[in-house]
Structures are given as structure tokens and as C-alpha cells.
Amino acid sequence: MAPQRFREQFAQIQRSMPDVPLAIGPDDAGQFLYEKGVVLARDGEDARIVEDTVRQHFATVAGLSADRVERVSPETSRSGITRIRVADPGEGDGSGDPAVANALRALTATEGRAGRRLVSRNHVVHIAVNACPGDEPVPVPASERPNPAPAEGTHDPDSAVGVLVIDTGLMHDYRSYPPLARTRGDAQVQECDKDGVLRQYCGHGTFIAGLVAAVAPNTDITVRNTLNDAGAILESEFGEKLFEAVDRDGWPDIISLSAGTSNGRTDGLLGVDAFMEELRRRHTLLVAAAGNNASAMPFWPAAYATLPGYENAVLSVGALRSDGEYGACFTNHGPWVRVYAPGERLTGALTGFDTPVPYVYQHSTYEECRYGFSYACTCRHPRHTGVLSEENGSAKPDQVMFEGLAQWSGTSFATPVAAGLIAAHMTAQAETDPRKARRQLLDAVTEFAEVRGAHVPALLPPTWRPAPVVQPSARP
């Protein structure tokens, strides 16, 4: 059974994408979300093979309607992906899609003969706190310092490292937070609902940009709102959006991406393959979040870090808990996660400081860690009641007020910390190659942490303040 919070977010993402019927996969296991009734193939010959093979399989083996198999995006795109309808997306419910599963099964033998992957589900790519949130933000008094604190250093426009944050957009008053004064990019769309309450995950991109700026002051940061719609986008659209993001200002030194999805495979995402191939030929380093499912299953595109040819182009980042000694309870893990950085209860700018804004919690905390950890992790502390967790309305959701700083947890935020450290290393060493800087930084690592019994490299900013883990306490 999928975790409670995953199911809560499934319903929320479905509301944010009302025209796209979604299912939980594989077979209701709660590992990823995907579009019902549709599969993906590469444009051209691969799309034709998929159409013909699925149509024949449905007509002769599966007992499904072969006349529904048709292309629904015949025009070519830069991402080189075609959507192929294999069933009526209105049939069934969210607990898996047998028609899509049959279509994938029909291509198994053909893929073996072709020696390459031909077909895929159309997965939902989401910000790494969305379908698997580390937690929701917690207000922090204005008297408290950011953590990591802004590093010393000046901005030099001639040597500044270009960092592109692909996420939600910037809050309207973000420049009120001094480290973000020079940041530019897209605005957050619809920050608050009709009642003036901050919408879920608004401020996510602003928080990430603030972490990069704090760790690496000699940076030119651009934020693109590629993931503004509840942080979720279909795989078939994501590759194209990535190209659009880099086309606007040119390929940066570093891309910080706190988004992705698992897909039950070890060979990447079909929908972003074209972008990843282009990335490999560029000088840009992609720093990507490992995800918050507490799983060893690869989370893409972070897991490209271990695919042949991408080792230097991609850095996958997991999250450490607040003491820096162990992995956070929620972090994904495994050999495909190359490095870990602080990602639990970081303090930064959620909004600017112009106007206080209310927020209503969406998820309730748990009595025990949902991943089986014994410390008072973000699953259970600080206590609050959320709207999505209280379906019967028996408990009133908690409301808080944000006035600038917030505390937030997730691999979403370990990622910009790592990106910032690479940028800071480039400045300190007058290094212009971000991939070379990545290698130098990892080769020089002296700090290590324990994650699920493994001894892993840890990147710790000099201005980051570790804190003792919070001990469990009973709900009053």
C-alpha cells in the first residue's frame, strides 16, 4: 500500500492537472504517477513500431480495443517524443492502468531485438517534496539567522558562476531578502488562494535560490517557473520545458533541479533523453535531487549520475539530517546517490519581508516516523494537523503565519546547497569548468556520514550550523 502522504499528494496533483487522468504505478504500489491511456515513444520509426506492435497485440492477445491505438501528438518536438493513446483514459480508476501495462508488455520482445528501449509510461515529474514531501515549511522568527548563513564574499560580474534554478517561480517580494537582491527570473504564478492563504509549495523556488546565494555569493542566479503548477508536469512535456529554460539565457555553469520521478527502471526517462544527450555535450553540470521516498529505487534525472557517459555531467544529491552525521529519514539512497548535503530543517527565505502571509498545513504529522526511524524527524515534529489528512473534518487544520524566514526539509534543499558549494569552489579556485570543480570538490571531501549502513561523502557548508537531533515527545 502506498504511503498515506503519497496518496494525499496524488489527489492534490490530480486537482492541479484536471485534464490529465492519472494513475498510481506500478499496479497501485505507490512508486510513481503516470498518465492513463497513453504511452511514449521516440518520434519516427520507433513510434511506428510501437503503434503497430500494440495494435496487433491488443487485437490478437489482450482482448482490448485495437482501434483506440493512435498518435495524439504527431508533430515533432525538440524532445523527440510522441504520445500514443492505447485506451480510453476515462476508464478505470487511479490504481493502475491495465491497458498501459499491456502495451508495455507487448513491446518486451521487440525491445530485446531492437537493443534499445522503445516505449514508456508518461510519468509525472514533480518537485522532490511533492508526491513524496520531506515536510512542509515551518515559520522562523525574524530574530533567527538563516542556516546556512550567508557566506562572506563579493559579487564579481566578470567571474560570477551562472546558476539556473528550474523550479517554481520567485515570490513577488523576494528582493527584500538581501542575498536574493541580484537574482532574476520568472514570477511565482498565483501565490495565494482566493482567501489570501499561501498555496502549497509556493516559495519553493525562492527558498532554493536563497540557499544557493547564501552558500555562494559570487553567483548569477536565474529562476525559471517550469514547475509552477503544483510542482508537477508530464514527462512528455518536461524535456521540452528543460530545453526552453536553457534556451532563454544560454546554458549556465550549473543547473539546480529539485524534481524528478522514479519509474521502476535503471535506464532513465524516455521523455528527457534528448535533453540529457544535449547536456552531455555541453559544459553545464546538472545537480539534481535524489528524492524523498526513503527508497533505493533510482529517481530520475538524478540517477543519470551513474549511467555511462553522464558521470561528470550529473551530480545526484541526498539529504543529511540536522546533525550531519546520518541520512535524513526521508532521503533516497543507494550507489546512484553520489553525495549528501544538509537537507533537514534548513532555514532560509520562503517569501520576502513585505507582508506577512498565512499558510494552512496540508499534511498531518505522524505518531511515528513513516520510514521507521526513532528520532523526532520531520514526519512527526513539529506537530500539526493538515487539511488533506483529515478527510472527515474531525480536526481543524493548523494555520501559521510566514513573515520571511522558514525552516524546510527535503532533498530539494540539499541540492542547492551542493550546487552552491560547487559554485563557491569555482570562485575560490578560479575554476571555470563546473564539472572539473565537481571532481575536485568530491576528491577533497573529508567529511562522511552514515546512510542506511553505508559510509557516504558529505558536503557541509562552512556557514552551516549542525544541531542535535530532536528527541521524541508524546502528543499532548
Side-chain angles (χ1 to χ4, degrees):
M1 182 63 69
Q4 171 189 332
R5 195 165 291 186
F6 185 97
R7 291 189 173 280
E8 292 169 1
Q9 285 303 100
F10 169 66
Q12 183 130 326
I13 290 174
Q14 182 65 89
R15 285 194 295 272
S16 76
M17 306 172 74
D19 299 327
V20 183
L22 299 178
I24 296 174
D27 301 325
D28 198 31
Q31 295 174 1
F32 49 76
L33 307 177
Y34 65 97
E35 183 183 12
K36 291 174 59 181
V38 168
V39 296
L40 302 183
R42 294 181 182 87
D43 293 338
E45 180 64 12
D46 281 10
R48 186 195 62 76
I49 292 172
V50 170
E51 280 186 283
D52 292 348
T53 305
V54 173
R55 190 176 289 115
Q56 180 180 8
H57 177 78
F58 279 11
T60 61
V61 179
L64 298 171
S65 177
D67 58 8
R68 292 178 180 172
V69 180
E70 61 176 344
R71 301 189 194 195
V72 288
S73 55
E75 70 283 356
T76 60
S77 66
R78 192 168 174 188
S79 60
I81 291 299
T82 295
R83 291 170 66 244
I84 299 174
R85 181 183 293 120
V86 296
D88 181 351
E91 294 177 353
D93 55 26
S95 58
D97 187 332
V100 169
N102 268 292
L104 298 177
R105 198 173 297 120
L107 270 297
T108 301
T110 305
E111 286 187 323
R113 291 192 296 271
R116 66 183 185 278
R117 187 177 181 189
L118 295 172
V119 68
S120 167
R121 291 179 173 89
N122 193 13
H123 301 89
V124 176
V125 178
H126 48 80
I127 57 179
V129 296
N130 207 321
C132 49
D135 69 349
E136 293 175 82
V138 177
V140 170
S143 58
E144 187 168 328
R145 291 186 301 156
N147 189 24
E152 293 184 3
T154 58
H155 178 263
D156 175 12
D158 294 328
S159 65
V161 178
V163 180
L164 172 62
V165 174
I166 296 178
D167 207 87
T168 64
L170 290 161
M171 302 296 280
H172 75 279
D173 54 356
Y174 72 93
R175 285 196 175 93
S176 299
Y177 184 58
L180 291 177
R182 292 186 309 274
T183 299
R184 63 192 182 95
D186 301 330
Q188 169 74 51
V189 176
Q190 194 180 351
E191 296 179 5
C192 298
D193 64 18
K194 59 182 177 59
D195 298 317
V197 176
L198 189 68
R199 296 171 67 231
Q200 193 174 22
Y201 301 116
C202 284
H204 192 261
T206 302
F207 196 91
I208 286 171
L211 292 172
V212 175
V215 175
N218 191 31
T219 46
D220 287 332
I221 303 171
T222 302
V223 180
R224 293 297 172 213
N225 62 358
T226 304
L227 298 163
N228 237 3
D229 190 3
I233 188 171
L234 286 173
E235 178 182 341
S236 57
E237 301 171 7
F238 187 51
E240 196 72 16
K241 292 292 185 181
L242 290 174
F243 276 120
E244 289 177 8
V246 296
D247 284 348
R248 290 179 65 174
D249 303 290
W251 287 78
D253 296 309
I254 297 171
I255 296 174
S256 180
L257 177 64
S258 295
T261 180
S262 58
N263 64 353
R265 297 182 63 107
T266 59
D267 56 357
L269 291 178
L270 202 60
V272 301
D273 270 356
F275 178 83
M276 297 303 294
E277 282 290 334
E278 182 70 18
L279 171 74
R280 187 162 60 173
R281 293 190 287 267
R282 301 283 181 163
H283 83 291
T284 300
L285 174 68
L286 173 62
V287 184
N292 304 329
N293 300 98
S295 170
M297 180 177 295
F299 189 82
W300 307 97
Y304 276 91
T306 55
L307 292 189
Y310 293 99
E311 302 92 335
N312 293 322
V314 182
L315 179 64
S316 47
V317 185
L320 299 174
R321 71 183 193 182
S322 57
D323 62 359
E325 296 182 9
Y326 296 89
C329 75
F330 51 78
T331 188
N332 282 350
H333 52 89
W336 59 273
V337 184
R338 289 309 198 196
V339 74
Y340 292 77
E344 185 178 66
R345 300 190 175 101
L346 300 184
T347 302
L350 181 73
T351 67
F353 294 84
D354 289 354
T355 307
V357 59
Y359 179 76
V360 176
Y361 281 104
Q362 301 298 297
H363 303 286
S364 295
T365 46
Y366 294 73
E367 291 295 333
E368 303 291 340
C369 173
R370 64 192 190 275
Y371 301 121
F373 282 65
S374 59
Y375 77 103
C377 60
T378 58
C379 297
R380 58 190 301 185
H381 177 85
R383 300 287 194 184
H384 51 253
T385 298
V387 175
L388 298 173
S389 306
E390 304 297 327
E391 295 180 357
N392 59 6
S394 60
K396 183 178 179 181
D398 293 323
Q399 178 175 303
V400 292
M401 189 71 68
F402 285 103
E403 302 182 62
L405 293 181
Q407 210 171 66
W408 215 344
S409 303
T411 59
S412 275
F413 313 121
T415 297
V417 168
L421 284 170
I422 294 167
H425 180 86
M426 292 175 67
T427 296
Q429 302 300 319
E431 177 58 66
T432 59
D433 184 345
R435 299 182 183 185
K436 187 175 180 180
R438 166 203 175 277
R439 292 194 300 272
Q440 293 170 347
L441 192 62
L442 293 188
D443 287 346
V445 164
T446 59
E447 300 286 348
F448 293 85
E450 183 179 323
V451 178
R452 306 280 179 155
H455 198 53
V456 300
L459 294 178
L460 307 178
T463 61
W464 172 71
R465 304 182 305 278
V469 296
V470 180
Q471 296 303 311
S473 60
R475 185 186 290 273

